[in-house]
Amino acid sequence: MARLKTHELRTKSKGDLLGVLKELKTELAALRVAKVTGGASNKLSKIKTVRLSIARVLTVITQTTRDELRKAFEGKKYQPADLRQKKTRAIRRALSKHDAGLKTEKQAKKDSYFPMRKFALKA
C-alpha cells in the first residue's frame, strides 16, 4: 500500500478507516515475517512507511471521534474530563470572574452606609 495522505483519510468514514487499518496491520505483519526470514531490503524500508500510515489512520480516527463528541456535548452543563480545557490545576480551581466579583451581604451594607467620599479640589 502506498503512503497515505491525511487529507484523503479525513474524507473516509470510520468503517472505511478501520478497514484500511486492518489492511495496514496485516501488511506490517507480513513485512515483519519477511524481515525475520531475510527478505529484500525494499521490504525492510517499507516497514517504516507502513507504521507511519497506521499512526496516521489512528490519529484521524481519534480526531474525528473527538470532534463528534465535542459537537454532542456542546452547550451542555458538564463535559467529559478529556474534552475539558486542560490549563493548570490552580486555574481550574480558581473562582470565576463573576464569583470573585460578588460581595457578601455585610460588605454590600457597609459600602452603602459609608460610600466613598467625594472631594472638590481646586487646582
Side-chain angles (χ1 to χ4, degrees):
M1 190 172 250
R3 183 176 174 273
L4 297 172
K5 301 235 184 307
T6 312
H7 67 91
E8 293 169 358
L9 292 175
R10 289 189 198 289
T11 59
K12 296 184 178 183
S13 67
K14 190 173 181 181
D16 293 340
L17 288 173
L18 290 173
V20 169
L21 183 66
K22 196 171 187 180
E23 288 174 25
L24 286 169
K25 285 190 174 183
T26 54
E27 187 178 351
L28 183 62
L31 289 171
R32 285 186 173 148
V33 168
K35 179 182 174 184
V36 170
T37 56
S41 62
N42 63 342
K43 285 196 173 187
L44 297 179
S45 63
K46 199 172 179 190
I47 289 176
K48 182 179 178 183
T49 58
V50 172
R51 289 181 70 218
L52 287 172
S53 297
I54 289 172
R56 277 192 193 94
V57 171
L58 288 172
T59 302
V60 169
I61 289 172
T62 54
Q63 284 178 345
T64 51
T65 52
R66 283 177 70 87
D67 287 344
E68 289 167 8
L69 282 172
R70 274 187 215 287
K71 286 177 187 166
F73 282 98
E74 194 174 6
K76 299 263 173 44
K77 186 174 182 182
Y78 297 110
Q79 284 188 335
D82 59 334
L83 293 182
R84 293 180 204 150
Q85 288 184 323
K86 181 86 170 101
K87 297 193 176 181
T88 62
R89 192 168 187 262
I91 291 173
R92 289 194 308 263
R93 276 148 184 73
L95 289 173
S96 66
K97 286 194 186 289
H98 173 73
D99 290 338
L102 291 177
K103 290 184 178 179
T104 61
E105 195 175 326
K106 186 176 183 178
Q107 186 63 44
K109 281 182 184 176
K110 197 183 273 189
D111 289 345
S112 67
Y113 293 146
F114 303 103
M116 275 293 254
R117 292 194 209 160
K118 296 181 184 94
F119 297 102
L121 298 176
K122 269 192 175 173

